[in-house]
Amino acid sequence: MPFVIAALLLVGALCALDLVLTLGVIKRLRDQGALLAELGSGTPALAVGEEVGAFTATTVDGVPVGRDDLHDDTLVAFFSPTCGPCRKKLPAFVAHARSLPGGRDAVLATVVGTPEAAAAFTEALAPVARVVVEEADGPVGAAFNATAYPTVLRVAPAADGRVLVTADQVELARVPQAAA
């Protein structure tokens, strides 16, 4: 009989310890969830209806480009050579950009990184887009508030002349239709 009582006390103590540890883990997960929510509360780029900031940059072809060069319906993308999803999305982006009616002038692609690291992206994008290579805090990225990669947006001038984001979730699989 004393053996059974000791075993029950041991099992009870282990269950109580397990309960305390489980509650501690749950508290830590809630705290971390709150921290992640705070860190991730910002958007990775401008949202629909927000104005694009002023910028000037030079493309890899040596041509200056700025906010005033974004006319009609311009596709804008941000890639990073160190980003796995960017490498996966690049072929679909190139195919989508190739099908746009405005050609290279209707597409602005920014590769965030050093020119050496961005070489493969630049080579793939140059036939279908005006390509800018810049560091993480470059002028194009700052104008679009781009903080996550890949980011693909559509922009167009509003009636008052401001350049606004018209789409922040561009479906690259859909082939754009020319206006009738």
Side-chain angles (χ1 to χ4, degrees):
M1 187 69 144
F3 177 72
V4 173
I5 292 173
L8 283 174
L9 287 175
L10 179 63
V11 168
L14 287 175
C15 287
L17 178 63
D18 182 50
L19 178 63
V20 169
L21 292 175
T22 301
L23 291 174
V25 168
I26 290 171
K27 183 182 180 320
R28 292 286 305 257
L29 287 173
R30 285 184 181 160
D31 292 345
Q32 286 185 352
L35 287 173
L36 286 174
E38 285 178 27
L39 290 174
S41 63
T43 57
L46 296 176
V48 173
E50 291 186 315
E51 182 177 2
V52 176
F55 69 91
T56 54
T58 304
T59 67
V60 294
D61 299 330
V63 177
V65 65
R67 178 178 60 186
D68 295 338
D69 298 314
L70 305 176
H71 42 75
D72 298 329
D73 188 29
T74 304
L75 183 66
V76 180
F78 295 88
F79 295 100
S80 172
T82 60
C83 160
C86 292
R87 287 189 291 277
K88 289 181 181 177
K89 197 173 219 176
L90 183 63
F93 178 83
V94 169
H96 184 80
R98 185 174 285 122
S99 67
L100 291 175
R104 289 183 77 224
D105 289 338
V107 184
L108 176 64
T110 302
V111 183
V112 178
T114 64
E116 298 80 27
F121 278 79
T122 302
E123 184 179 328
L125 291 166
V128 297
R130 296 171 289 172
V131 181
V132 174
V133 176
E134 66 181 20
E135 294 297 323
D137 293 330
V140 183
F144 285 89
N145 195 29
T147 58
Y149 311 104
T151 295
V152 181
L153 307 167
R154 283 200 185 284
V155 300
D160 61 4
R162 297 179 304 139
V163 178
L164 304 177
V165 174
T166 58
D168 59 1
Q169 295 183 6
V170 179
E171 290 185 43
L172 298 178
R174 280 191 22 204
V175 176
Q177 300 296 320

